[in-house]
Amino acid sequence: MKETCDFIVIGAGIVGLATAREIQSRRPDARVVVLEKEAEVAIHQTGHNSGVIHAGVYYAPGSLKADFCRRGVDATIRFCTEHQIPVEQCGKLLVATTPLELERMDALEERCRQNKLDPIRLDEKELKAREPNVVGLGALFVKTTGIVDYVAMSRTLARLVVEHGGEVRTNSEVQGIVERDDGVEVKTADRVLRAKHLVVCAGLQADRMARMAGLDVDFQIVPFRGEYYRLNKRHNDVVKHLIYPIPDPDLPFLGVHLTRMIDGSVTVGPNAVLGFAREGYRKTQINLRDVLDMLRFPGFWAVMRKNLRSGINEFRNSLSKARYLELCRKYCPSLEVSDLEPYPAGIRAQAVLRDGTLVHDFLIKQTKRTLHVCNAPSPAATSALPIAEHIADQLLGEQSGEERKEALRSAG
Ligand SMILES: Cc1cc2nc3c(=O)[nH]c(=O)nc-3n(C[C@H](O)[C@H](O)[C@H](O)COP(=O)(O)OP(=O)(O)OC[C@H]3O[C@@H](n4cnc5c(N)ncnc54)[C@H](O)[C@@H]3O)c2cc1C
């Protein structure tokens, strides 16, 4: 069966759904179809994360991450307030527990200022006063960090897409993409859909979808599991803010943190362990195709060589609950192993280049008729609304602020 529309978006995670909605708001008469292989929206990264609205502390000034994350904070809070989705700006404390971390904290404070954040520096006593259960030599308080439920946001975006005449088709795995001069053809199990433009927001499958569309891509997605525990509910008030360690600048992930979730619970995590299945959430799950793709990719071996010591450490912490807890007891010593309860893991889609460089920034590639979001790791949930605006600018040409407001007003 063949049918036509104006825009196809592959992937109903938060980035794909925000993009579909943004295109619709700028082109109210266009037919937009979102294709999602799972039975529901937001099943993968968007449904397995920390639920943090990142303020934009860490990112290289001038990067897409720094820009989109900063704009994403306000955009996310505005969207959630407008659509009655619970959201809270509880603030975050980056806690230094050693003299080395205090030094790193100075660099982080400077980075915050470069990113136009206004962190408050706390000494040991001030930290204790704010968080009686947390110990450290000092901390940075970033008040704009918040928490939200990204699944709720995605479901709302999907509902808006449908209410405005679009479609979100679940159980629709894309199996083929052909780009022509005048449009694209996208094949699922039961039909071929033609459109003028295609946007691919496929997360953990981004590299495969780009290759399927004929792009000559020089990166591969390497999955990194992020494992969590939930604290027993008697600890729901153990902290008032989100508590993060000072990250090691040589490592790409933020370190195990204590996260107040929007449902009132507190999670511990995530770590960063190499995954053997891109979409397998159990610790023991292995996907042969994913493993073979990884082993054949020179970039994977280069990453392993560069990060061998930290990789082994992460594995050991993953296997032992007690070792894992130590990462957190550094700054919250009252927690016991028996306080940790099971909580589902997430899997990060991390783009890696052939030489083993981890791609830190968001990466978008465009051809005449297609646009691929190739790398959208954290804070892409925070940044989804500005990413969507950027994609729409690329596809449709930039809009002025006034035009954007007018389009949103007329789209309701
Ligand atoms: C452990 C962890 C913690 C994180 N914490 C945070 C946080 O606190 N704050 C934050 O801002 N970010 C966080 N992130 C990052 C954030 O979750 C992701 O960056 C974001 O969700 C990416 O959204 P996405 O739409 O690009 O990808 P996804 O949510 O993964 O969606 C991609 C979709 O594409 C679909 N798809 C793939 N292939 C096909 C195909 N062939 N046909 C049809 N559909 C297809 C998939 O099924 C999936 O639904 C975290 C991520 C992880 C893993």
Side-chain angles (χ1 to χ4, degrees):
M1 194 167 117
K2 287 203 174 181
E3 58 172 309
T4 57
C5 63
D6 298 297
F7 296 90
I8 299 171
V9 176
I10 299 176
I14 195 165
V15 176
L17 290 166
T19 300
R21 183 67 201 107
E22 181 65 27
I23 292 171
Q24 257 185 345
S25 72
R26 295 194 194 185
R27 293 283 162 89
D29 297 330
R31 192 166 162 239
V32 180
V33 176
V34 180
L35 298 174
E36 167 56 51
K37 68 182 165 66
E38 304 293 349
E40 284 175 52
V41 306
I43 287 285
H44 291 298
Q45 295 176 94
T46 302
H48 289 86
N49 61 37
S50 304
V52 176
I53 304 173
H54 286 291
V57 169
Y58 312 91
Y59 316 116
S63 62
L64 293 178
K65 270 191 180 177
D67 179 22
F68 295 166
C69 183
R70 195 179 50 248
R71 287 164 40 199
V73 177
D74 290 344
T76 304
I77 289 169
R78 225 175 16 247
F79 180 88
C80 291
T81 308
E82 187 182 336
H83 296 284
Q84 285 97 44
I85 298 168
V87 62
E88 188 189 333
Q89 260 177 316
C90 53
K92 136 179 184 170
L93 286 167
L94 288 136
V95 178
T97 54
T98 63
L100 174 64
E101 286 182 358
L102 265 184
E103 259 173 52
R104 288 176 176 164
M105 197 170 96
D106 292 342
L108 214 52
E109 187 176 6
E110 178 53 28
R111 178 57 66 92
C112 282
R113 298 201 190 289
Q114 289 168 338
N115 283 332
K116 302 192 178 73
L117 295 173
D118 202 10
I120 299 171
R121 209 180 163 106
L122 307 179
D123 64 20
E124 201 170 339
K125 254 171 69 192
E126 290 164 328
L127 168 63
K128 196 90 207 147
R130 262 188 193 274
E131 285 288 3
N133 293 313
V134 173
V135 296
L137 302 176
L140 281 183
F141 173 47
V142 180
K143 55 181 181 297
T144 47
T145 305
I147 49 177
V148 73
D149 176 351
Y150 287 116
V151 176
M153 250 184 101
S154 303
R155 288 187 183 142
T156 301
L157 284 163
R159 177 174 58 74
L160 291 171
V161 168
V162 173
E163 281 175 7
H164 288 84
E167 280 185 70
V168 179
R169 288 189 197 162
T170 50
N171 295 312
S172 297
E173 178 166 8
V174 172
Q175 299 171 345
I177 299 170
V178 179
E179 179 174 0
R180 302 190 203 290
D181 242 17
D182 59 346
V184 275
E185 275 191 7
V186 172
K187 189 175 166 302
T188 61
D190 60 350
R191 68 190 73 197
V192 173
L193 196 55
R194 284 202 181 130
K196 294 188 194 108
H197 296 278
L198 168 70
V199 183
V200 186
C201 308
L204 287 149
Q205 309 295 337
D207 52 342
R208 290 176 179 154
M209 299 307 287
R211 280 195 198 96
M212 187 185 279
L215 269 72
D216 181 17
V217 289
D218 59 348
F219 72 92
Q220 187 163 305
I221 295 295
V222 173
F224 284 95
R225 290 170 61 76
E227 296 164 333
Y228 294 91
Y229 291 97
R230 180 173 21 217
L231 292 185
N232 183 287
K233 62 173 184 288
R234 69 175 178 276
H235 290 297
N236 279 2
D237 295 322
V238 70
V239 286
K240 300 187 195 75
H241 310 84
L242 310 181
I243 311 294
Y244 280 66
I246 301 289
D248 180 339
D250 292 335
L251 300 178
F253 304 114
L254 303 184
V256 165
H257 43 90
L258 275 178
T259 311
R260 287 184 48 208
M261 305 298 278
I262 199 74
D263 66 2
S265 61
V266 178
T267 59
V268 187
N271 59 0
V273 190
L274 182 69
F276 296 107
R278 293 191 187 192
E279 296 176 354
Y281 291 92
R282 276 180 292 111
K283 214 190 263 286
T284 49
Q285 238 168 313
I286 295 178
N287 178 300
L288 202 59
R289 178 184 178 203
D290 293 345
V291 172
L292 286 176
D293 275 359
M294 219 153 56
L295 296 181
R296 287 190 202 115
F297 178 57
F300 164 74
W301 293 106
V303 171
M304 288 300 101
R305 276 194 300 277
K306 280 188 208 162
N307 299 284
L308 192 61
R309 170 114 58 89
S310 63
I312 292 172
N313 257 338
E314 291 286 337
F315 257 116
R316 291 169 67 189
N317 295 337
S318 157
L319 294 175
S320 154
K321 218 174 175 178
R323 281 185 61 111
Y324 190 104
L325 184 65
E326 281 316 308
L327 301 173
C328 188
R329 277 169 57 116
K330 267 183 21 181
Y331 52 80
C332 191
S334 59
L335 296 177
E336 302 288 341
V337 170
S338 57
D339 296 327
L340 301 186
E341 297 179 350
Y343 192 80
I347 303 175
R348 305 173 181 87
Q350 176 61 57
V352 176
L353 302 182
R354 288 185 76 78
D355 66 0
T357 307
L358 302 179
V359 181
H360 290 299
D361 209 359
F362 300 142
L363 177 67
I364 293 175
K365 289 191 187 276
Q366 195 172 4
T367 65
K368 187 168 177 207
R369 294 283 166 183
T370 73
L371 185 148
H372 292 255
V373 177
C374 299
N375 192 49
S378 185
T382 307
S383 316
L385 298 169
I387 292 176
E389 286 178 6
H390 174 79
I391 292 173
D393 286 346
Q394 300 295 307
L395 280 185
L396 310 172
E398 296 205 17
Q399 271 189 328
S400 69
E402 269 317 301
E403 282 171 331
R404 188 171 298 144
K405 276 188 215 139
E406 184 50 45
L408 281 171
R409 266 198 297 275
S410 60

